[in-house]
Amino acid sequence: MQEISRPVRITLPLAVAALFCIGWEAAVRLTRSHGLLPSPTGIFASGVEATSSGIIFDAMSGSLKRVILGFVIGGVLGVPLGLAIGTVPALDRALRPVLDGLRSIAPIAWIPMAILWLGVRGDAALFVVAYAAVFPFIVNAGLAASLVDRHLVAAARALGASRWMIVRAVLVPSSLPMIFTGARIALAFAWASIIAAELAIGIKIAGQGRSVAGIGQLMVETLYVKRDVDALVFYMLVIGAVSLVIDAGLRRLQRRMLPWSAR
Amino acid sequence: MRAVEPLIGIAGVVVAWEIASRVAANSTLVPPPASVWKALVAMRGSELPKDIGASLVHLLVGYTTGATAGLLLALLAGSSKWLAAVIDPFAEFLRPISPIAWIPLAILLFGVGRAVPMFLIFYAALFPIFVGTLDGIRRVDASLVNAARSLGASRRTVAMRVILPAALPSILGGARLSLGVAWMALVAGEIVGGDAGIGWRILWYQEFFQMDRVLAAILIVGALGLAADGLLRLLQRHLLRWHPATESAS
């Protein structure tokens, strides 16, 4: 079978997608379920409305703020801990069961306790995000630290480097690629967690007329109060688009900062 | 000394927990270890088995259907360049949308209930298995396939006996990766849109401010997650024991 040519490769899925959308729209119209089931025109209309009213930007910025903050907290806590575990085997042995256990708890499960400790405003969601983000950092930093080339460490020590200098000049740089991979995983987890947390908080306070703090709460509002199916699908597409952009951004950053390591 | 170190870690956490609960002096805010243990025992005699059972049903139904769909789609995509050219972009388009984002739509379409977590797991399992299988299929040694064909094997036999086993390491790798996401999707789905299962039960206890039960249920979620990953690792080791590159530690 010869290779499919490039123009066909691009147009074929587009053609199929167009046919699919036309068929979808027709099916919804024919069964008179416009408004009950999502449809391409409905989604487009909701999208226009959401962007022009600005509500999608408010919600997104609220969620993104917490994602980034939680991500940073996870990194600040997780990287040093991971590096420590990777370099001190006794610490690894002592903390491994505890960390494995805590890591297996789906972050969203903590929502009830987080709400109790931190209230419904938004810090509970931040807790869940930070919790989700910290473990990929710990795991990857630990793995990277344990894989540091012993020769490099020995060479540094032979040249008279202090322990702190070894950490700064050997341990951290050689661990960076794997930590970066951990960062990408952490960001993906953080993003999924913020939505889950906001959804869970949202259903607790649905209909109370509080201002929308994030995209998750916006979706709950749309689900239970406005019942707008098309808007829901539009928000989902936005969520997907944002996570693509975030990951692509991190990947580009990795390529720029650590050109020898990026895929 | 070596064997004791893990116990030191665990003991340290429990001690810190006990101190925190004494400092907080509010058993609702920080349930002390003892009351969580009591709650666990009480739950074990009443709702816990039912809740765990419900969650496991969600997981199994969703995961097997999602994995089967992912496998079939990958086989389709792997068998024809044209089908692949059509399926791939759709997969790439849907992949960044995390299963969690589907929760509100799933609630709207299926209503609050058991279908929501099952659908989420279906979706969470589909993509990694699809990608892992497709990857594995594309890497299958062509000479193996040709050998089987020249011995007279039908297309189906080739698919089942040659391609799938050769792709198995990649498939199982994808499965283990997807389990973390699937587990999170399960708990989130049960909390937000379910009416059964351990995730839903956490919210139930919280409604009644039985925080010791909440914490006990949270620990159960962790234990189940650990068990699921361990099982998958065992499965991986067992199914791939004939494979020369099977890693002994993971």
Side-chain angles (χ1 to χ4, degrees):
Chain A
M1 238 188 297
Q2 81 277 43
E3 272 297 329
I4 304 183
S5 64
R6 192 122 203 268
V8 177
R9 195 170 264 262
I10 299 181
T11 51
L12 184 60
L14 283 176
V16 173
L19 275 171
F20 178 73
C21 283
I22 295 176
W24 180 5
E25 183 74 32
V28 169
R29 299 267 172 172
L30 283 174
T31 53
R32 295 176 183 277
S33 31
H34 200 257
L36 280 169
L37 288 175
S39 69
T41 49
I43 298 171
F44 186 74
S46 306
V48 169
E49 199 193 316
T51 24
S52 62
S53 71
I55 195 166
I56 186 79
F57 298 114
D58 289 332
M60 250 323 154
S61 67
S63 300
L64 275 172
K65 254 191 301 189
R66 267 177 249 128
V67 166
I68 294 180
L69 196 53
F71 174 75
V72 167
I73 294 177
V76 163
L77 289 177
V79 170
L81 186 59
L83 288 176
I85 290 182
T87 37
V88 182
L91 203 61
D92 180 31
R93 284 193 299 272
L95 291 181
R96 171 74 54 113
V98 171
L99 287 176
D100 278 350
L102 285 176
R103 185 162 54 99
S104 321
I105 300 177
I108 186 70
W110 286 101
I111 265 285
M113 305 255 35
I115 292 181
L116 196 69
W117 293 331
L118 301 166
V120 166
R121 285 262 94 215
D123 293 330
L126 183 62
F127 174 81
V128 172
V129 173
Y131 188 90
V134 80
F135 291 105
F137 277 117
I138 296 180
V139 167
N140 277 43
L143 195 61
S146 65
L147 290 173
V148 165
D149 192 347
R150 302 276 162 220
H151 298 299
L152 288 174
V153 177
R157 212 174 277 162
L159 288 168
S162 70
R163 185 171 292 186
W164 182 240
M165 183 125 239
I166 294 181
V167 167
R168 218 165 38 114
V170 178
L171 181 64
V172 171
S174 63
S175 314
L176 270 180
M178 212 174 268
I179 292 180
F180 237 101
T181 312
R184 284 175 58 197
I185 299 176
L187 196 56
F189 278 10
W191 188 235
S193 304
I194 188 68
I195 299 177
E198 286 175 354
L199 286 173
I201 294 178
I203 58 166
K204 282 206 124 295
I205 64 173
Q208 282 177 23
R210 293 193 195 217
S211 60
V212 168
I215 187 100
Q217 281 119 324
L218 179 61
M219 286 177 95
V220 171
E221 276 280 320
T222 315
L223 169 67
Y224 283 130
V225 178
K226 295 206 220 122
R227 311 223 112 224
D228 189 348
V229 203
D230 302 303
L232 272 181
V233 177
F234 176 70
Y235 298 146
M236 279 168 52
L237 292 174
V238 171
I239 290 175
V242 172
S243 80
L244 253 183
V245 167
I246 297 180
D247 187 60
L250 255 186
R251 219 183 319 164
R252 180 165 301 180
L253 189 66
Q254 179 173 11
R255 221 175 304 167
R256 185 87 58 87
M257 284 180 56
L258 312 165
W260 69 91
S261 71
R263 246 182 310 123
Chain B
M1 192 58 203
R2 275 205 176 207
V4 163
E5 274 156 355
L7 299 172
I8 295 182
I10 300 178
V13 167
V14 175
V15 165
W17 178 5
E18 179 67 35
I19 294 178
S21 70
R22 300 261 174 110
V23 163
N26 179 346
S27 69
T28 308
L29 209 56
V30 184
S35 70
V36 170
W37 178 257
K38 258 186 271 175
L40 259 173
V41 172
M43 283 156 60
R44 191 166 58 114
S46 51
E47 310 113 8
L48 195 61
K50 193 162 51 120
D51 296 330
I52 296 183
S55 290
L56 283 178
V57 165
H58 297 157
L59 189 66
L60 276 169
V61 171
Y63 207 84
T64 43
T65 41
T68 315
L71 259 164
L72 285 173
L73 270 172
L75 276 171
L76 267 176
S79 67
S80 150
K81 285 213 167 94
W82 293 95
L83 278 174
V86 169
I87 295 182
D88 267 341
F90 275 106
E92 280 305 307
F93 181 71
L94 284 177
R95 196 153 56 98
I97 303 180
S98 136
I100 313 263
W102 282 85
I103 294 184
L105 191 64
I107 295 181
L108 206 70
L109 292 176
F110 305 121
V112 171
R114 314 204 51 175
V116 170
M118 282 197 246
F119 172 74
L120 285 181
I121 308 263
F122 168 81
Y123 184 83
L126 205 155
F127 282 105
I129 302 244
F130 170 72
V131 170
T133 311
L134 198 56
D135 219 37
I137 290 179
R138 290 194 170 140
R139 291 207 206 153
V140 171
D141 194 347
S143 47
L144 287 173
V145 177
N146 291 334
R149 283 261 181 84
S150 63
L151 286 171
S154 70
R155 282 203 93 186
R156 216 177 132 230
T157 313
V158 171
M160 300 258 90
R161 293 303 199 91
V162 179
I163 297 185
L164 271 182
L168 208 51
S170 187
I171 299 177
L172 285 173
R176 275 193 69 200
L177 270 171
S178 69
L179 196 64
V181 177
W183 199 244
M184 197 157 60
L186 172 71
V187 178
E190 285 180 356
I191 288 182
V192 180
D195 63 2
I198 191 87
W200 169 79
R201 185 63 76 175
I202 292 181
L203 211 62
W204 171 273
Y205 290 145
Q206 201 258 325
E207 294 286 305
F208 294 101
F209 281 101
Q210 295 176 299
M211 300 316 279
D212 48 358
R213 297 207 171 197
V214 168
L215 203 46
I218 291 178
L219 293 175
I220 297 279
V221 168
L224 283 175
L226 260 177
D229 188 55
L231 259 166
L232 205 52
R233 210 187 318 173
L234 268 174
L235 188 71
Q236 189 176 24
R237 213 178 297 182
H238 174 82
L239 282 176
L240 295 180
R241 62 193 183 284
W242 49 266
H243 197 266
T246 301
E247 35 183 356
S248 48
S250 260

